C-alpha cells in the first residue's frame, strides 16, 4: 500500500521507497528526516479541503509535512515488521 | 573577529538551539551578517565559571553536513573552518532534542567525527520525560565518547554544568580538524545512531502528546484554516487598535520636541532645518514604532510556538497553485511587518527558483512602512462612514489595499514561475516541530532587536533623506510671488518627473515625494509635510491646518486613489533593494524587481485614475 492510501493514525512501516521518483535533494532531505526501509510511519493529517493538500506524516519520532507526490513514492505495510534496517 | 575562544552551537532545527543561545548569552548578543553571504551571524559573549570570556556563535539549524540551503552552507563551512572571516571553532556544543534522539544523534555523530573538542547538550529533557521517555546521559556519553549534559534551555537548567564542561574542553586542547576519510556512509551512521539511542533509552512508555491533540484542530482542513484566518484577523486588528495609545504618546513627544525647538532657537535657517527637516521628518516615521513592534510580536510568537510550520502546511495547497510551496508563506507573512526580514527568511527555502520567486514578490506584501501613507490618504479622502454593521468604509479601503497587495503578489508569482523562474516546483518538505510555550525573554530579545533596526533606519536612511530633501526644497529662495516648492531645486526635479506621471493623475506634490520615498516609503508622508511646511512659512492660516486637510483641499479623489494604487505596488525601499542584492548575489534580480514593480505601479495607478475620472471623481 502507498503511504498516500494509508488510513490516518494507523501505525505502519516502510517497505520500499522509490528513490528514483524523488529528486536528489528531496531524497536526501527525506533520508535525513529518518525515512528509510523499515522505519515506522503513521499518517496524521491530510491538508487541503479536497484531500489534495500535503500530508503530515510521523516518521519515527518526527512529524514531517510532505506533498502527496512524495508520499506516493513510499510503499508501506501494516503487517508485523520483519527486520529493522 | 575577536581573540576570544570561539564556540559554535550546532544542531538540528527545532532542537532548542536558539533558546539555549539566548539563555547562555542573554542581552550580550550581536546580530550581523557573514561577509560575502547574507546569512545572519548571531554571536554573543559568554562568561565561564572562572571568568574567562568566550564567543558563542549560534549556527543555523541543519539536518546534516550536506547543505541544501544557504543557511546550511554556512553551518557546514563554519564547523569546517572554511567560513570567510572566521577561524576554526575551538569547541562545538551539539544541541540535540532528547525526545528525537535517533534522528538528532545521526547529525551529532557526523559532527563528532570531525574531531573538534565537543560537548553534547541533551536539550528539552523535560519534554521527553513528559512523553514518557527516560534517558541515561552517562550511557550516551560513553557511547559517543564526548561529555553529555542534560539541559532545559527554557528553564536555565544544566547551564552551569554545560559551562564547566566547556571550560575543561577549552583548557585541554585547541581545535584541530580530523582529516576526513571520505564521505561517511549515510546508512551506517544512521544505524549507529539508532543503536546508541536504543542503548541510552532506559524506559519508553507511549503517551498521548499535547502536540498531536492540538494538531487535530490546527491542521484540520476546515477548523485549521478557520483558526489561521482568525489569528491573522486578530493580528491585524491588534496592529491598529493596540497601537493607537502608544502612537499618540509618541506623537505627543514629537510635537513637544518641535515646540521646544521653536521656543529655544531664534527663527532662522537652523530653526527651520531642525523643525522641518529633522523633527518633522523623523517624527512622522517613529510614531509607527508601536505598530511595527506589535506586528513583530505576533510573528515572533507564531514562530516560537511552532505554529508557523502549521500555517505553512495549511497554505501549501493554495501556494502550490501559483507554483510556490507552503514554506514561502512564512517569509511572506513576515513581509507584512517588513520585507527585509521577510526576504532574509527565504534562506530556509532550499529550492532556488522557489526562493527567487518568493524574494521577488515579498515587496508586494503590504509592509508596515506603507501604513503612514495609507493612513494619511485614507483619513483625508475616505469619509468615515459605515457601510454595514461593524464595517467602516475607511477600514474596508485599508483591507482592500492589503488584499490588492496579496492578489498582486500571487499573480506575480504565477507569472514569474512561467517566465524568469521557470522550473519544476520545488516541492514541500518540512519538519513540524513540537508546540512549545515561548519564553518571554526570547520574544523580548527578538522585539528589541527589531526595534533597534527600525530606529536605526529612522535615524539614518530616513533622517538623511529628509535632510537632503529639506536642503533641495529650501534653496534657492524663491522670489516674491513664486512658490518655494516650485522654484527650489527639488521643485525643478519634480517638474521633470511630473511630465512622466501626469498621465496617471499625479500632481507636483506627488512627483516631489516619489524620489525620496524610494529611500523609504514612509518618507512620502514626511516629504509632503516638509514641502508644505516650507511653502506655508509665511502663511499662518496654512500652518494651522493639518496635513490631511490640506491634501483634501488640493488633490482630487481620483488623484488620491491613484496615489494609493501606486503604493500598493510601489518600487520598494532602498533597504529592500540592498537586501535583495545581497541575497541574490548581484544586481540582476534587484534591477529586475525594480523594473517590474515600477511597471505594475504605473499601470495600477493609471487604471485607477482613469477609472475614477470616468466615474466622475476627477
Amino acid at each position: 500500500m502507498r503511504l498516500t492510501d494509508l488510513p490516518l493514525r494507523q501505525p505502519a512501516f516502510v517497505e520500499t521507497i522509490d528513490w528514483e521518483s524523488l529528486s536528489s535533494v528531496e531524497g536526501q532531505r527525506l533520508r535525513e528526516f529518518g525515512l528509510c526501509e523499515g522505519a515506522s510511519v503513521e499518517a496524521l493529517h491530510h491538508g487541503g479541503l479536497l484531500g489534495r493538500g500535503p500530508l503530515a506524516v510521523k516518521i519515527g519520532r518526527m512529524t514531517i509535512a510532505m506533498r502527496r507526490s512524495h508520499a506516493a513514492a513510499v510503499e508501506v505495510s501494516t503487517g508485523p515488521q520483519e527486520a529493522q534496517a | 573577529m575577536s581573540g576570544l575562544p570561539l564556540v559554535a552551537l550546532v544542531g538540528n532545527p527545532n532542537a532548542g538551539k536558539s533558546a539555549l543561545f539566548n539563555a547562555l548569552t542573554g542581552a550580550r548578543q550581536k546580530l550581523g551578517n557573514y561577509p560575502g553571504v547574507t546569512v545572519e551571524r548571531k554571536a554573543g559573549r559568554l562568561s565561564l565559571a572562572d571568568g574567562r570570556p568566550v564567543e558563542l556563535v549560534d549556527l543555523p539549524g541543519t539536518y546534516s553536513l550536506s547543505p541544501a540551503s544557504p543557511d546550511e552552507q554556512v553551518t557546514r563551512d563554519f564547523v569546517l573552518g572554511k567560513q570567510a572571516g572566521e577561524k576554526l571553532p575551538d569547541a562545538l556544543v551539539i544541541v540535540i532534542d532528547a525526545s528525537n534522539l535517533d534522528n538528532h544523534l545521526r547529525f551529532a555523530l557526523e559532527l563528532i567525527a570531525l574531531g573538534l573538542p565537543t560537548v553534547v547538550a541533551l536539550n528539552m529533557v523535560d519534554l521527553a520525560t513528559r512523553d514518557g521517555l527516560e534517558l541515561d546521559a552517562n550511557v550516551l556519553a560513553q557511547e559517543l565518547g564526548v561529555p553529555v549534559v542534560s539541559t532545559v534551555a527554557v528553564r536555565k537548567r544544566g547551564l552551569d554544568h554545560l559551562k564547566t564542561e566547556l571550560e575543561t574542553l577549552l583548557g585541554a586542547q585547541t581545535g584541530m580538524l580530523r582529516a576526513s576519510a571520505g564521505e561517511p556512509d549515510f546508512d551506517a551512521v544512521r544505524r549507529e545512531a539508532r543503536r546508541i539511542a536504543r542503548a541510552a533509552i532506559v524506559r519508553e512508555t507511549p503517551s498521548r502528546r499535547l502536540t498531536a491533540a492540538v494538531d487535530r484542530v490546527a491542521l484540520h482542513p476546515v477548523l485549521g484554516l478557520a483558526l489561521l484566518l482568525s489569528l491573522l484577523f486578530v493580528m491585524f486588528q491588534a496592529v491598529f487598535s493596540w497601537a493607537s495609545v502608544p502612537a499618540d504618546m509618541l506623537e505627543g513627544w514629537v510635537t513637544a520636541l518641535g515646540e521646544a525647538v521653536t521656543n529655544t532657537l531664534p527663527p532662522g535657517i537652523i530653526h527651520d532645518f531642525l523643525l522641518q527637516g529633522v523633527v518633522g521628518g523623523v517624527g512622522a516615521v517613529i510614531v509607527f514604532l508601536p505598530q511595527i513592534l506589535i506586528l513583530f510580536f505576533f510573528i515572533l510568537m507564531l514562530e516560537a510556538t511552532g505554529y508557523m510550520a502549521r500555517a505553512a502546511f495549511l497554505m501549501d495547497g493554495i501556494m502550490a497553485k501559483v507554483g510556490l510551496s507552503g514554506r514561502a508563506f512564512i517569509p511572506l507573512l513576515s513581509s507584512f511587518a517588513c520585507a527585509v526580514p521577510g526576504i532574509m527568511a527565504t534562506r530556509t527555502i532550499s529550492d532556488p527558483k522557489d526562493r527567487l520567486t518568493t524574494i521577488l514578490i515579498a515587496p508586494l506584501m503590504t509592509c508596515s512602512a506603507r501604513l503612514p501613507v495609507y493612513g494619511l490618504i485614507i483619513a483625508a479622502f475616505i469619509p468615515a462612514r459605515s457601510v454595514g454593521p461593524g464595517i467602516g468604509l475607511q477600514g474596508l479601503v485599508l483591507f482592500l489595499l492589503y488584499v490588492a497587495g496579496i492578489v498582486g503578489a500571487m499573480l506575480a508569482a504565477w507569472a514569474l514561475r512561467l517566465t524568469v523562474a521557470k522550473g519544476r516546483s520545488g516541492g514541500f518538505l518540512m519538519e513540524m516541530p513540537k508546540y512549545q510555550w515561548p519564553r518571554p525573554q526570547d520574544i523580548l530579545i527578538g522585539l528589541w532587536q527589531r526595534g533597534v533596526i527600525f530606529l536605526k533606519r529612522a535615524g539614518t536612511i530616513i533622517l538623511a533623506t529628509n535632510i537632503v530633501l529639506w536642503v533641495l526644497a529650501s534653496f534657492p529662495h524663491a522670489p516674491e510671488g513664486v512658490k518655494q516648492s516650485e522654484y527650489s531645486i527639488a521643485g525643478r526635479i519634480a517638474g521633470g518627473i511630473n511630465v512622466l506621471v501626469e498621465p496617471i493623475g499625479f500632481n507636483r506634490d506627488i512627483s516631489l515625494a516619489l524620489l525620496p520615498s524610494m529611500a523609504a516609503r514612509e518618507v512620502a508622508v514626511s516629504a509632503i509635510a516638509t514641502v508644505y511646511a516650507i511653502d506655508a512659512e509665511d502663511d499662518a492660516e496654512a500652518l494651522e491646518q493639518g496635513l490631511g486637510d490640506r491634501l483634501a483641499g488640493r488633490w482630487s479623489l481620483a488623484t488620491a486613489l491613484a496615489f494609493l494604487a501606486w503604493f500598493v505596488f510601489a518600487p520598494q525601499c532602498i533597504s529592500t533593494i540592498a537586501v535583495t542584492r545581497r541575497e541574490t548575489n548581484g544586481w540582476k534580480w534587484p534591477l529586475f524587481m525594480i523594473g517590474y514593480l515600477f511597471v505594475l505601479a504605473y499601470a495600477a495607478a493609471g487604471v485607477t485614475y482613469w477609472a475614477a475620472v470616468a466615474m466622475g471623481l476627477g
Side-chain angles (χ1 to χ4, degrees), chain B residues 89-103:
Chain B
D90 296 295
L92 297 181
V93 177
I94 303 175
V95 188
I96 58 183
D97 172 1
S99 55
N100 201 352
L101 208 52
D102 19 9
N103 245 309

Side-chain angles (χ1 to χ4, degrees), chain B residues 275-568:
Chain B
L275 194 66
Q276 296 159 355
V278 179
V279 177
V282 177
V285 173
I286 63 159
V287 295
F288 290 92
L289 181 64
Q291 288 189 335
I292 286 162
L293 290 183
I294 290 168
L295 205 50
F296 270 118
F297 169 76
F298 275 91
I299 284 165
L300 288 168
M301 284 292 281
L302 293 180
E303 263 168 10
T305 50
Y307 183 78
M308 272 300 199
R310 274 74 188 179
F313 180 84
L314 291 169
M315 295 306 291
D316 184 62
I318 295 168
M319 304 296 278
K321 290 204 170 57
V322 294
L324 291 173
S325 83
R327 255 220 173 192
F329 182 71
I330 300 172
L332 292 179
L333 186 62
S334 14
S335 297
F336 278 116
C338 174
V340 172
I343 288 172
M344 293 198 293
T346 62
R347 290 170 197 150
T348 57
I349 300 177
S350 51
D351 182 77
K353 299 274 176 56
D354 261 10
R355 183 164 178 257
L356 177 65
T357 311
T358 312
I359 290 175
L360 291 177
I361 64 167
L364 285 170
M365 297 291 124
T366 305
C367 73
S368 48
R370 286 182 178 93
L371 279 175
V373 183
Y374 288 176
L376 175 73
I377 304 294
I378 288 176
F381 289 93
I382 309 294
R385 62 161 200 262
S386 176
V387 287
I391 306 170
L393 184 59
Q394 293 186 330
L396 185 68
V397 170
L398 186 67
F399 175 72
L400 288 176
L401 289 168
Y402 271 87
V403 171
I406 297 167
V407 172
M410 291 300 114
L411 291 176
W414 176 75
L416 290 168
R417 274 312 227 151
L418 290 178
T419 54
V420 295
K422 193 154 48 179
R424 197 170 154 256
S425 161
F428 176 57
L429 273 176
M430 188 172 189
E431 185 185 349
M432 309 281 247
K434 282 186 287 291
Y435 287 107
Q436 268 197 303
W437 202 243
R439 212 171 67 111
Q441 289 95 313
D442 293 347
I443 302 287
L444 282 178
I445 288 174
L447 277 182
W448 178 70
Q449 283 165 348
R450 295 302 162 199
V452 167
I453 291 171
F454 174 78
L455 289 178
K456 263 193 193 154
R457 197 166 116 101
T460 53
I461 299 179
I462 296 176
L463 178 64
T465 316
N466 275 300
I467 290 174
V468 169
L469 180 71
W470 180 83
V471 171
L472 291 181
S474 300
F475 302 100
H477 284 299
E480 256 333 286
V482 180
K483 266 170 83 184
Q484 177 65 28
S485 64
E486 281 170 23
Y487 192 78
S488 64
I489 303 174
R492 292 173 209 190
I493 298 173
I497 298 173
N498 206 31
V499 178
L500 294 174
V501 294
E502 216 168 8
I504 56 169
F506 285 7
N507 55 28
R508 287 183 63 98
D509 301 343
I510 299 178
S511 304
L512 210 133
L514 282 185
L515 269 191
S517 72
M518 286 284 295
R521 289 187 180 95
E522 53 275 60
V523 171
V525 171
S526 55
I528 294 173
T530 302
V531 171
Y532 281 5
I534 293 172
D535 262 350
E537 243 168 21
D538 313 314
D539 186 350
E541 197 188 326
L543 264 182
E544 294 287 307
Q545 252 182 342
L547 185 57
D549 295 334
R550 303 201 51 194
L551 288 185
R554 287 172 61 141
W555 295 14
S556 74
L557 181 57
T559 293
L561 292 176
F563 187 62
L564 285 178
W566 172 273
F567 267 88
V568 170

Side-chain angles (χ1 to χ4, degrees), chain A residues 9 26 28-33 35-36 45 47-49 54-56 61-67 84, chain B residues 63-64 66 72 99-100 102-103 190 194 201 204 215-216 219 221 316 324-325 425 428-430 432:
Chain A
R9 294 177 200 97
E26 289 161 3
Q28 185 204 326
R29 191 40 34 105
L30 279 169
R31 259 181 227 259
E32 286 167 7
F33 283 148
L35 186 74
C36 61
H45 304 276
L49 287 175
L55 213 61
R61 293 177 206 285
M62 267 180 160
T63 306
I64 307 300
M66 60 167 90
R67 286 214 174 136
Q84 285 266 342
Chain B
Y63 293 98
S64 73
S66 324
E72 299 181 0
S99 55
N100 201 352
D102 19 9
N103 245 309
R190 178 167 57 201
R194 199 176 284 185
I201 292 173
E204 190 177 11
D215 271 348
R216 285 193 185 212
L219 295 184
D316 184 62
L324 291 173
S325 83
S425 161
F428 176 57
L429 273 176
M430 188 172 189
M432 309 281 247

Side-chain angles (χ1 to χ4, degrees), chain B residues 57-73:
Chain B
V57 175
D58 185 18
L59 293 175
T62 171
Y63 293 98
S64 73
L65 288 178
S66 324
S69 72
D71 260 3
E72 299 181 0
Q73 179 77 39

Side-chain angles (χ1 to χ4, degrees), chain B residues 172-187:
Chain B
Q173 73 241 73
T174 46
M176 241 239 283
L177 214 53
R178 190 175 297 160
S180 126
E183 286 278 298
D185 176 28
F186 189 93
D187 289 317

